[in-house]
């Protein structure tokens, strides 16, 4: 007979993976984060609405991630995954729109 806590521990393990991937995504590009939040010199600051929205979703991800880790809650795991997905969509859209605005890319062009 399976233990009653096995589903909870699986959800906690899943929460560790999702939370860890989100944390890694935040810290891997610290220079870009400095630009986004205006901490870099000479960088263009994003609109305040963007900063408020992504900060709010990030805070939601943090809170739901901690609760999902501690309680093994399926609802909190789903909220964590949804907030991480939302952040990914918003960041991808912002990067796409910024690169399509006619401004040159900061990366050097590939040569054959």
């Amino acid at each position: 007979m399976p233990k009653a806590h096995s589903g909870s521990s699986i959800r906690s393990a899943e929460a560790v993976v999702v939370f860890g991937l989100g944390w890694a995504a935040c810290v891997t590009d610290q220079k870009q984060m400095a630009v986004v939040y205006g901490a870099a010199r000479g960088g263009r600051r994003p609109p305040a609405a963007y900063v408020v929205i992504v900060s709010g979703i990030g805070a939601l991800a943090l809170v739901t991630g901690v609760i999902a880790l501690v309680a093994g809650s399926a609802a909190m795991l789903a909220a964590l995954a949804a907030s991480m997905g939302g952040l990914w969509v918003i960041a991808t859209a912002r990067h796409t729109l910024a690169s399509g605005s006619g401004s040159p890319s900061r990366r050097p062009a590939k040569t054959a």
Side-chain angles (χ1 to χ4, degrees):
M1 182 171 187
K3 292 182 180 181
H5 296 290
S6 65
S8 176
S9 62
I10 290 171
R11 283 190 295 273
S12 292
E14 291 169 341
V16 167
V17 171
V18 174
F19 197 65
L21 289 172
W23 188 271
C26 283
V27 299
T28 55
D29 197 1
Q30 291 179 0
K31 289 181 183 178
Q32 177 63 23
M33 293 295 285
V35 170
V36 167
Y37 287 98
R41 293 184 183 204
R44 215 178 91 209
R45 294 189 73 171
Y50 174 81
V51 174
V52 168
I53 290 170
V54 296
S55 296
I57 296 172
L60 174 68
L62 177 63
V63 170
T64 57
V66 169
I67 294 171
L69 286 170
V70 172
S73 167
M76 291 297 107
L77 178 59
L80 171 62
S83 59
M84 298 300 291
L87 285 172
W88 177 80
V89 168
I90 291 169
T92 301
R94 182 174 186 274
H95 290 289
T96 301
L97 294 173
S99 67
S101 65
S103 61
S105 174
R106 292 183 180 173
R107 294 184 180 172
K110 291 183 180 179
T111 57

